[in-house]
Amino acid sequence: MTQVLVLNQDYQAISVCKAEKALILVLGQKAELINDVADRKFRSVKRDFQFPSIIRLYRYVPLPYRKVALSRENIFRRDGYRCVYCGSKYDLTLDHLIPSSKGGRTSWDNLVTACRDCNSHKGDLSLEDSGLELDFKPFRPSWIMFLRQFAGLVREDWKPYLFY
């Protein structure tokens, strides 16, 4: 794993970066090493360096409230790249729970990932009329949720900083 969790000065998780970038921030005295990967090292001709897993910035970086943008890719990501009706991973599309033709809005709580077959079966019907059932109720994901998913499998040492 070459991903490193980046914490703000107040220990709030703000991003994920490559290990090389994290090492540059530490060596440039812009960040401190909070945790390293014990069995890995960066090696130069004369010296070995700890392989970072978590770094913390020395200076606080003010960040505006981060919203996750509503996009096709982010809906797929929220839904785990699976159809919310049947669980298929193939031929995915977006489905409006309340069809646009019946006043349904393009929003986090009205859009879901559906395979083409389930989307065709539902058609212009409401969820109740189609006989289909959702695996979960759609929601607006948090920035931290997307940070976790972006990083892939979350390392054990990251969990306290990602609100587990």
Side-chain angles (χ1 to χ4, degrees):
M1 171 181 258
T2 62
Q3 300 290 338
V4 177
L5 181 64
V6 179
L7 305 176
N8 214 338
Q9 186 184 28
D10 64 356
Y11 290 89
Q12 177 185 2
I14 59 171
S15 69
V16 174
C17 72
K18 293 190 181 279
E20 294 84 359
K21 171 74 173 170
L23 182 63
I24 290 168
L25 289 170
V26 170
L27 293 175
Q29 299 181 349
K30 297 191 184 293
E32 70 174 312
L33 182 70
I34 298 294
N35 205 0
D36 67 332
V37 179
D39 58 341
R40 292 188 71 182
K41 299 276 187 211
F42 277 110
R43 301 186 192 286
S44 74
V45 174
K46 296 183 180 183
R47 190 168 164 205
D48 290 348
F49 298 95
Q50 293 172 300
F51 196 95
S53 172
I54 304 171
I55 63 170
R56 182 180 73 97
L57 300 176
Y58 283 128
R59 294 186 63 210
Y60 182 79
V61 177
L63 297 171
Y65 172 71
R66 289 191 167 183
K67 287 193 216 178
V68 178
L70 179 62
S71 69
R72 178 183 189 83
E73 180 62 26
N74 285 343
I75 296 288
F76 287 169
R77 186 180 296 169
R78 178 200 64 191
D79 297 348
Y81 297 94
R82 292 180 171 274
C83 174
V84 297
Y85 303 119
C86 71
S88 173
K89 295 181 179 182
Y90 305 102
D91 211 10
L92 298 176
T93 63
L94 291 182
D95 181 40
H96 285 78
L97 296 177
I98 301 170
S100 301
S101 63
K102 296 184 178 171
R105 298 176 50 175
T106 300
S107 63
W108 281 105
D109 57 352
N110 194 45
L111 283 171
V112 294
T113 303
C115 68
R116 204 165 297 281
D117 289 342
C118 288
N119 203 348
S120 293
H121 172 76
K122 182 174 169 290
D124 204 24
L125 301 172
S126 69
L127 189 58
E128 296 78 27
D129 293 339
S130 71
L132 295 172
E133 291 184 19
L134 293 171
D135 285 345
F136 67 92
K137 186 176 187 230
F139 60 95
R140 174 188 286 271
S142 69
W143 175 252
I144 293 294
M145 175 186 168
F146 269 75
L147 188 61
R148 284 187 215 145
Q149 288 181 341
F150 170 74
L153 294 174
V154 175
R155 298 179 54 89
E156 281 299 314
D157 59 337
W158 290 17
K159 289 183 179 181
Y161 302 102
L162 296 177
F163 306 110
Y164 276 88

